[in-house]
Amino acid sequence: AVEATEAELDAMLRRAHAAQGAWDGLGGEARAGLLDRTADLFEEHREHFYSLCIREAGKTLPDAILEVREAVDFLRYYAAEARRLFTNAHRLPGPTGETNELRLHGRGVWACISPWNFPLAIFTGPVAAALAAGNAAIAKPAEQTPLIGALAVRLMHEAGIPEDIVHLAVGDGKVGAALTAHPLIAGVAFTGSTAVARAINRSLAERDGPIVPLIAETGGQNAMIVDSSALPEQVTRDVVASAFQSAGQRCSALRVLFVQEDVADTMVTMIRGAMEALSIGDPRLPTTDVGPVIDAEAKASLETHVAELRAAGRVVAERALPAGAEQGSFVAPVIAELPDLSALTDEHFGPVLHVIRWKAGDLGKVIDQVNATGYGLTLGLQSRIDTVHAEVQAKARVGNLYVNRNQIGRSEEHTSELQSH
């Protein structure tokens, strides 16, 4: 994959802008059919995606399988939405009782900038949403995972989506900055760091002309609260999955475990034992639980943080790396104890679990600490007390609250959705 130049980006945007009106005019049913065909092709090429996810993104085989399933789900979901929202006119009552018809249309060309930790699913989702609504899209994959994005776009074209409607723009942050600053961009969908999202927001706000919408999903200092009523075996299973699956490289991964001090020793001992049983190594092997982090830069940042924790005497458990792991970007899973959440100022995107003990009666203070981080993506709760569930749900300012389960995957049966504040 070759990095896009500013001239190439300009040409892409002009072609997409010129073609968008005809794409919008196809209507929801036609666009839905092409998205469904793309989903079929993703499934037909799933083994190719598995291989790329393992080799390019360092995913384990189970994570690679889930990645493709989620991408296909996005395509089929937005195909259904295209049929529901963009096939027929919507009848709305007028101010004097008459009936007006409203037809929904696309805005223009969207910049869709995706991360390396979900290089197919989050790459596909925003593009599929833009296309379903009658927009064109410039899809920029993370600089670490361009081949996955390239295959996804090739299959979109093979399914019949016009080449001028969805373009691949490969490169680093400079390409993303040039893309979002272009005057023909009508909207931006971004997943990545909070700092970059703020920079994009400032750039868009300074532009003259129509307001350009920004959809941004950024970092999370995700916590799980465990009280004395929680089942230790269930807590252990869910904490280990939430903190260490995908080498801790999920937006929703568990970073901070608040454990009521009455049960903390037992809980931490069990979690430590389960962590030490994890298999670390080659993500191509079915037996591997924890693969590498994305690159040497991520490894160095995590190792610096762990060294600081170690120097402060905070590390309570550290999984030894197997022989040969020093040749790759592997980071040993770690458990460290902190006095309170103020000791953790940044999100550390990897297999590092921070434990904080709290006293009975201080649940409100724990929730206040979580709210004060400024992040509000995901919160886990392990408790068998209904009043605890109600208090956390009422007071926590988070987008997703997971009760008595892991917090790295959605489940309609077990997830309580809260409105982000």
Side-chain angles (χ1 to χ4, degrees):
V2 179
E3 185 167 305
T5 65
E6 286 198 28
E8 289 169 336
L9 286 175
D10 182 71
M12 289 179 197
L13 278 153
R14 293 186 184 281
R15 292 200 303 272
H17 182 73
Q20 184 265 330
W23 175 253
D24 193 26
L26 282 179
E29 182 62 41
R31 295 195 297 270
L34 295 173
L35 290 172
D36 276 332
R37 175 59 183 149
T38 302
D40 293 340
L41 289 176
F42 273 34
E43 291 182 316
E44 290 173 19
H45 289 79
R46 58 188 178 274
E47 289 87 359
H48 297 99
F49 280 125
Y50 298 162
S51 177
L52 283 175
C53 285
I54 292 168
R55 292 186 292 123
E56 192 173 49
K59 288 184 173 285
T60 60
L61 181 57
D63 279 349
I65 292 170
L66 293 173
E67 180 88 15
V68 177
R69 286 179 180 174
E70 186 172 356
V72 170
D73 285 347
F74 270 130
L75 289 163
R76 299 207 187 281
Y77 170 78
Y78 285 114
E81 288 296 278
R83 291 187 177 96
R84 184 175 72 89
L85 295 173
F86 296 92
T87 298
N88 301 307
H90 299 266
R91 298 185 179 277
L92 300 176
T96 59
E98 76 278 12
T99 299
N100 297 321
E101 287 193 350
L102 173 67
R103 292 187 180 274
L104 303 179
H105 294 280
R107 294 181 58 90
V109 184
W110 278 71
C112 300
I113 302 173
S114 56
W116 49 259
N117 63 326
F118 283 91
L120 180 62
I122 297 182
F123 177 87
T124 300
V127 173
L131 298 180
N135 299 290
I138 311 296
K140 185 203 164 303
E143 60 186 288
Q144 296 92 337
T145 54
L147 298 180
I148 297 169
L151 177 57
V153 170
R154 180 172 71 80
L155 294 178
M156 290 177 190
H157 293 159
E158 186 177 327
I161 297 170
E163 292 185 6
D164 281 345
I165 289 301
V166 57
H167 295 260
L168 181 73
V170 172
D172 59 14
K174 295 189 294 293
V175 171
L179 183 59
T180 57
H182 198 283
L184 289 180
I185 285 295
V188 177
F190 170 81
T191 301
S193 74
T194 304
V196 172
R198 286 173 175 153
I200 294 172
N201 190 39
R202 288 192 294 268
S203 174
L204 296 176
E206 291 171 358
R207 288 176 47 169
D208 293 329
I211 292 174
V212 178
L214 167 63
I215 301 168
E217 194 270 305
T218 60
Q221 200 69 283
N222 308 303
M224 180 185 288
I225 301 170
V226 177
D227 72 8
S228 59
S229 74
L231 298 172
E233 295 84 358
Q234 181 173 294
V235 170
T236 300
R237 179 198 65 195
D238 294 340
V239 166
V240 169
S242 299
F244 304 123
Q245 187 174 328
S246 308
Q249 298 176 115
R250 291 185 178 224
C251 305
S252 56
L254 174 59
R255 310 291 177 208
V256 184
L257 178 66
F258 285 93
V259 185
Q260 190 172 328
E261 63 179 8
D262 308 73
V263 295
D265 287 343
T266 298
M267 296 287 191
V268 172
T269 297
M270 293 180 67
I271 293 165
R272 175 177 182 167
M275 181 191 76
E276 291 175 348
L278 294 172
S279 173
I280 304 167
D282 189 338
R284 294 173 297 180
L285 301 178
T287 54
T288 296
D289 298 309
V290 181
V293 297
I294 188 64
D295 55 25
E297 182 181 355
K299 176 182 178 180
S301 176
L302 288 163
E303 288 182 339
T304 297
H305 175 58
V306 172
E308 292 170 351
L309 292 171
R310 197 181 294 117
R314 307 229 180 262
V315 173
V316 297
E318 188 169 359
R319 175 73 165 82
L321 289 176
E326 66 279 357
Q327 302 300 318
S329 55
F330 293 91
V331 174
V334 169
I335 300 173
E337 289 211 27
L338 303 178
D340 56 60
L341 194 51
S342 66
L344 194 62
T345 57
D346 298 309
E347 181 186 19
H348 299 281
F349 211 73
V352 182
L353 176 64
H354 309 86
V355 177
I356 298 173
R357 300 176 184 230
W358 60 282
K359 297 180 182 295
D362 283 352
L363 178 60
K365 294 179 181 179
V366 172
I367 298 170
D368 288 342
Q369 286 190 59
V370 173
N371 289 342
T373 64
Y375 296 95
L377 182 62
T378 296
L379 175 67
L381 172 65
Q382 298 273 345
S383 173
R384 289 184 287 169
I385 302 173
D386 288 343
T387 55
V388 171
H389 298 177
E391 181 175 358
V392 173
Q393 182 166 341
K395 295 180 179 179
R397 297 197 295 270
V398 295
N400 295 285
L401 172 61
Y402 294 88
V403 178
N404 294 330
R405 54 151 291 165
N406 76 65
Q407 63 191 67
I408 56 171
R410 295 189 58 171
S411 168
E412 293 303 325
E413 182 179 354
H414 295 98
T415 305
S416 173
E417 295 289 348
L418 301 181
Q419 181 178 359
S420 296
H421 294 263

